[in-house]
Amino acid sequence: MTILVLNCGSSSIKADVFQSSTLQRLRSFRVERVGTEQCVLKEADIETRLGDVGHAEAIKSILNKIEEPIEAIGHRVVHGGERFVHPTRITTGVLEDLQNLVELAPLHLPANIAGVEVCREHHPTVLQVAVFDTAFHATLPRRAKTYAIDQEIAVRHGIRRFGFHGTSHKWSAQQVALTMQVPLEELRIVVCHLGNGASVCAVENGRSIETSMGMTPLEGLVMGTRVGDIDAGALIALAQKEGWSLEELDLFLNKECGLKGLSGVGNDMRDILERSAEGDDKCRLAINVFVHRLRKYIGSYAAVMGGIDALVFTGGIGENSNVIRSRTCQNLGFLGLRLDADANSERPSTSKTVVEVSHYASRNKIFAVRADEEMMIAKDTQALFNELDTVVRPMGIPIAISARHLHLTKRRSRCCLVRGQP
Ligand code: ADP
């Protein structure tokens, strides 16, 4: 039996099939450029052109290729709002609740929901689990999640910080604790997830207590195309002076800023590093602003936790760019963090998830960790599946004569539990 994990982004889809008990990864599918003529489905070296299809059609193509029996499906869901702070079995009611959250993440949630709907249609009796990007940050203390506005207005409109990339931050923190052979509950870790979207998280004793993304994934670091932190007054000035509507401003801040806006050559850090090395001034500035902002966050998160035991780099840039890691770690000796130039030339891989890049004389540790949100989602899905098993047994309901009956039994028992929750 297998667990399928589906990670639907705005223009890409990742789908991994895991053996249900060992969580060995059996198959890995990637769809790129969803919604364009160039949409392509890849599995290992095999590429299938899908033509101009949307998320639903692309997911169907993946499901049609999976012959292995599926026991449970885990979905990455970007936003869980106030309500969803744990992996949750997806019922019709939960799906409706997710639809009501779309305005909190209009770029991502529709793709996540499309994934759930297609899977429910294709595998109506299989357990479906939502794992939320925001869930790991449910532990943010009030002082960290509150914006300085009248709280009556804030509550009325849900204006508060949620944080994102939680699955990745949690995974990295767990991997680092295992490598250090120190319980996660005893560590202060700063995780830098640097991909197209980027965020930093302060993980104290295994809990997220600060993170750089806020109410939406727009706050914080310089990202591929997102602006990150900017004076709210600058937004008012921009809208007034350019005569932009709110929609135009939204598009600008999400799609035209960050590395793309600064460099003028696009959002790909590899291109920007290359041009910068050739002396391109805009690209040099883009990297300087990116690194400077990141260093500010690392320092402030160390201050928030009263120290730091480990600094972690993950995501496409964090895993692969020794230049960005080295620039970021310059002069962090005051935090007991010293990079080793040789070790830093290595990068994590499927066979080595965690690479230590700190110097042997560094008081605290620096790591590069291979992001694997799909594995984390598979673990959460497996845990919920097993938990449902233990719920079913004591109630004396016979377990599975066939897989279909098992799933139906699990579904019913979970429905009762969900209704009992606040
Ligand atoms: P997403 O947030 O879309 O999942 P990724 O985590 O795949 O993004 O990260 C994409 C970013 O990683 C891009 O900016 C890409 O340029 C960067 N990247 C990938 N490989 C390297 C590398 N060798 N050096 C620098 N940046 C890299």
Side-chain angles (χ1 to χ4, degrees), residues 11 19-20 42 62 74 85 90 111 127 140 148 163 170 212 234 245 272 276 310 348 363 365 397:
S11 65
Q19 208 280 330
S20 350
K42 296 181 186 170
I62 296 173
V85 296
I90 303 173
L127 173 75
L140 285 181
K170 182 174 160 190
S212 58
S245 66
I272 298 168
S276 160
R363 189 158 33 90
K365 302 278 188 194
I397 300 169

Side-chain angles (χ1 to χ4, degrees), residues 248-408:
E248 284 168 322
L249 189 60
D250 188 22
L251 203 66
F252 175 75
L253 297 171
N254 275 294
K255 297 279 182 197
E256 301 299 332
C257 293
L259 292 173
K260 182 181 177 191
L262 278 168
S263 71
V265 302
N267 61 339
D268 196 303
M269 183 56 105
R270 284 165 291 202
D271 298 340
I272 298 168
L273 283 165
E274 208 177 295
R275 300 256 192 142
S276 160
E278 290 162 6
D280 183 307
D281 196 49
K282 283 166 108 181
C283 290
R284 282 168 64 177
L285 179 64
I287 292 170
N288 286 343
V289 178
F290 180 92
V291 170
H292 176 72
R293 178 98 44 97
L294 179 57
R295 286 165 54 80
K296 282 204 300 188
Y297 269 101
I298 294 168
S300 63
Y301 285 6
V304 164
M305 294 191 289
I308 179 170
D309 301 305
L311 174 64
V312 183
F313 293 92
T314 188
I317 300 171
E319 291 164 39
N320 295 305
S321 177
N322 53 357
V323 175
I324 295 294
R325 289 199 297 259
S326 143
R327 295 274 306 270
T328 306
C329 291
Q330 262 168 32
N331 298 327
L332 290 188
F334 77 103
L335 291 176
L337 295 168
R338 190 170 149 201
L339 202 73
D340 182 276
D342 285 339
N344 190 39
S345 58
E346 215 187 317
R347 61 179 74 175
S349 61
T350 39
S351 55
K352 195 171 180 197
T353 306
V354 181
V355 171
E356 182 179 343
V357 294
S358 39
H359 191 266
Y360 74 91
S362 181
R363 189 158 33 90
N364 300 315
K365 302 278 188 194
I366 312 172
F367 297 97
V369 176
R370 185 171 177 275
D372 198 344
E373 285 154 314
E374 290 72 30
M375 176 62 84
M376 192 74 242
I377 295 169
K379 282 186 178 197
D380 284 344
T381 304
Q382 183 195 45
L384 189 54
F385 187 84
N386 292 340
E387 183 196 312
L388 294 186
D389 252 354
T390 56
V391 170
V392 172
R393 272 194 203 104
M395 290 164 79
I397 300 169
I399 298 207
I401 303 150
S402 67
R404 183 180 154 77
H405 278 106
L406 173 63
H407 294 307
L408 287 174

Side-chain angles (χ1 to χ4, degrees), residues 5 24 51 95 112 118 199 289:
V5 172
Q24 183 198 353
L95 194 52
N112 301 158
V118 174
S199 71
V289 178

Side-chain angles (χ1 to χ4, degrees), residues 5-198:
V5 172
L6 208 56
N7 180 349
C8 293
S10 45
S11 65
S12 67
I13 300 169
K14 297 177 185 168
D16 286 2
V17 180
F18 296 86
Q19 208 280 330
S20 350
S21 49
T22 60
L23 293 189
Q24 183 198 353
R25 200 181 310 254
L26 304 176
R27 303 181 70 175
S28 227
F29 300 91
R30 297 291 177 263
V31 181
E32 287 161 14
R33 297 169 193 258
V34 178
T36 72
E37 275 299 332
Q38 291 78 39
C39 183
V40 61
L41 166 60
K42 296 181 186 170
E43 185 189 13
D45 295 336
I46 304 165
E47 283 195 20
T48 317
R49 298 219 155 266
L50 299 181
D52 185 1
V53 297
H55 284 88
E57 286 304 314
I59 296 162
K60 279 184 201 160
S61 306
I62 296 173
L63 293 175
N64 287 335
K65 284 187 182 286
I66 302 174
E67 306 93 25
E68 295 86 349
I70 298 173
E71 189 163 48
I73 303 178
H75 297 267
R76 176 185 179 199
V77 179
V78 163
H79 213 308
E82 297 274 354
R83 179 174 163 202
F84 297 110
V85 296
H86 298 291
T88 302
R89 181 182 177 280
I90 303 173
T91 58
T92 305
V94 167
L95 194 52
E96 277 165 20
D97 287 345
L98 293 181
Q99 268 142 355
N100 291 332
L101 292 177
V102 163
E103 64 177 26
L104 289 175
L107 294 177
H108 298 93
L109 261 181
N112 301 158
I113 291 171
V116 172
E117 284 173 341
V118 174
C119 288
R120 273 165 64 94
E121 219 172 88
H122 221 271
H123 292 289
T125 61
V126 167
L127 173 75
Q128 315 252 351
V129 177
V131 178
F132 299 93
D133 258 25
T134 45
F136 184 55
H137 305 299
T139 50
L140 285 181
R142 266 198 333 164
R143 60 182 179 275
K145 67 181 177 193
T146 304
Y147 289 115
I149 61 170
D150 180 334
Q151 287 305 288
E152 238 175 65
I153 299 176
V155 169
R156 199 178 322 140
H157 301 297
I159 310 288
R160 49 153 286 197
R161 307 186 67 251
F162 285 99
F164 298 85
H165 286 146
T167 309
S168 169
H169 290 305
K170 182 174 160 190
W171 164 259
S172 284
Q174 286 182 354
Q175 294 305 305
V176 160
L178 283 174
T179 305
M180 291 174 75
Q181 297 185 326
V182 177
L184 187 53
E185 295 70 29
E186 292 172 17
L187 289 170
R188 295 162 301 179
I189 305 173
V190 173
V191 182
C192 311
H193 178 109
L194 312 175
N196 242 326

Side-chain angles (χ1 to χ4, degrees), residues 203 208 213:
V203 185
S208 164
M213 284 176 170

